[in-house]
């Protein structure tokens, strides 16, 4: 079980506190935005350079598994977010509900999905392929879902403009990294810690600029404490529902135990690393704090819950027939 508050979570909290006390604005905010965009481009370049084509090809044959994971990620999650709207809106502010709905439209995580699948002795090659496909497809699917389901809200992107912006900021650096892997792949594999620091650093930069703009626009004045408590409950319910549904569906559809583990961990989680940069493109600056707050909270909850679940899977000592 991970620590209740790990170093990155503490850094996130400190960043939110700093933005609340010393928000950036004007030329300083513009400088931070430039640095943030460069950091995000570097992050996705390194992700592309890290990804092994052989690992992806090894897991690509499990098309039924991938369809189920993608269906849970991009169909079931948004459907739940919309279906729960009558219950959620009285509990949350309109902006926080919009953040929850945006959370439901995001792709799955990559690193933690693979790590938890490996810890639980699941199908790691399939997890690599499924999580990667989710993130690449999410570059197109998430902004389209936002345009279709959130277009009525002020600040949400419309049409193909946000898709093209995200392709330029995220997909092109990723493709460039894939092309460069033949030359720098070995160095990236030997320095995996660098990717973690770039990953976390870029998220902290986006969080600082997002919360700075939100604080200046009155985020904390407009968000009562009871709404924050309700947000915690909403995230717990969403994660619990998706974990239960992915477990049930993977068993009912006859997947092996290893594949069930992969489906549970890849189909129930949401990516902070992709979600924060996308929000920066899709939503107006004053809204960003409220938009990413549900995702930040969900991120920590899913890590703690999935770590405990992975350890439980590992202790079950499966028989050869169940693999």
């Amino acid at each position: 079980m991970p620590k209740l508050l790990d170093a990155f979570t503490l850094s996130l909290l400190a960043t939110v506190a700093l933005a609340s006390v010393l928000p950036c604005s004007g030329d300083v905010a513009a400088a931070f935005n430039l640095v943030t965009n460069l950091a995000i481009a570097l992050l996705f370049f390194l992700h592309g350079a890290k990804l092994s084509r052989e690992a992806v090809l090894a897991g690509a044959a499990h098309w039924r598994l991938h369809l189920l994971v993608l269906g849970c990620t991009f169909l079931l999650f948004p459907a739940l977010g919309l279906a729960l709207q009558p219950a959620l809106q009285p509990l949350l502010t309109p902006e926080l509900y919009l953040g929850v709905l945006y959370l439901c439209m995001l792709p799955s995580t990559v690193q933690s999905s693979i790590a938890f699948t490996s810890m639980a002795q699941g199908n790691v090659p399939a997890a690599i392929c499924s999580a990667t496909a989710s993130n690449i497809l999410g570059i197109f699917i998430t902004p389209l879902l936002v345009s279709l389901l959130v277009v009525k809200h002020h600040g949400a992107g419309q049409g193909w403009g946000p898709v093209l912006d995200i392709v330029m900021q995220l997909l092109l650096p990723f493709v460039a990294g894939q092309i460069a892997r033949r030359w720098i792949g070995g160095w990236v594999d030997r320095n995996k810690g660098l990717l973690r620091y770039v990953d976390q650093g870029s998220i902290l930069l986006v969080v600082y600029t997002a919360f700075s703009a939100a604080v200046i626009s009155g985020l904390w004045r407009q968000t009562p404490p009871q709404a924050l408590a309700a947000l915690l409950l909403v995230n717990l319910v969403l994660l619990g529902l998706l974990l239960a549904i992915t477990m049930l569906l993977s068993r009912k559809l006859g997947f092996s135990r290893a594949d069930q583990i992969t489906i549970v961990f890849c189909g129930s989680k949401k990516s902070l690393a992709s979600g924060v940069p996308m929000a920066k493109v899709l939503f107006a600056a004053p809204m960003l704090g409220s938009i990413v707050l549900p995702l930040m909270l969900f991120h920590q909850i899913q890590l703690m819950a999935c770590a405990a679940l992975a350890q439980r899977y590992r202790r079950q000592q499966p028989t050869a027939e169940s693999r």
Side-chain angles (χ1 to χ4, degrees), residues 57-279:
L57 292 175
H62 295 269
W63 60 269
R64 290 177 63 244
L65 181 151
H66 303 316
L67 285 179
L68 181 55
V69 169
L70 292 173
C72 290
T73 302
F74 295 116
L75 294 177
L76 181 58
F77 243 118
L80 280 175
L82 290 172
L84 292 173
Q85 181 177 0
L88 299 186
Q89 283 194 323
L91 300 175
L92 305 174
T93 65
E95 292 78 13
L96 286 180
Y97 171 70
L98 183 57
V100 171
L101 194 55
Y102 173 66
L103 156 71
C104 292
M105 301 173 187
L106 288 172
S108 179
T109 61
V110 177
Q111 293 101 319
S112 58
S113 291
I114 296 168
F116 288 135
T117 298
S118 177
M119 185 189 304
Q121 299 179 335
N123 187 336
V124 175
I128 294 172
C129 183
S130 190
T132 302
S134 176
N135 271 257
I136 294 175
L137 291 174
I139 290 175
F140 303 95
I141 295 175
T142 296
L144 288 179
L145 287 174
V146 170
S147 295
L148 289 172
L149 303 178
V150 194
V151 70
K152 61 182 179 181
H153 293 274
H154 176 70
Q158 302 184 34
W160 287 98
V163 177
L164 295 176
D165 288 342
I166 289 174
V167 166
M168 293 293 293
Q169 293 189 26
L170 307 185
L171 183 60
L172 287 186
F174 180 89
V175 172
Q178 273 282 284
I179 294 172
R181 177 172 171 78
R182 62 178 298 183
W183 298 289
I184 67 172
W187 180 86
V188 171
D189 291 339
R190 292 191 301 272
N191 295 273
K192 293 181 179 179
L194 173 64
L195 182 59
R196 179 168 62 90
Y197 287 120
V198 175
D199 191 335
Q200 296 180 357
S202 63
I203 291 172
L204 293 175
L205 283 169
V206 176
V207 167
Y208 177 67
T209 55
F211 272 87
S212 291
V215 167
I216 291 172
S217 299
L219 170 66
W220 299 126
R221 294 193 304 272
Q222 300 166 7
T223 307
Q226 59 268 29
L228 294 176
L231 179 61
L232 173 62
L233 177 61
V234 167
N235 279 335
L236 287 169
V237 170
L238 274 177
L239 180 60
L241 284 173
L242 261 295
L243 286 172
I245 291 171
T246 51
M247 287 179 188
L248 179 63
L249 284 177
S250 60
R251 289 173 187 167
K252 292 295 185 182
L253 293 175
F255 286 96
S256 68
R257 177 185 181 273
D259 286 348
Q260 289 176 31
I261 291 171
T262 302
I263 291 164
V264 168
F265 288 122
C266 292
S268 64
K269 299 173 63 234
K270 292 296 182 177
S271 174
L272 184 69
S274 295
V276 173
M278 285 189 193

Side-chain angles (χ1 to χ4, degrees), residues 275-297:
V276 173
M278 285 189 193
K280 188 172 181 293
V281 176
L282 293 170
F283 296 94
M287 301 175 63
L288 277 179
S290 296
I291 296 299
V292 302
L293 186 57
L295 176 58
M296 289 169 54
L297 185 59

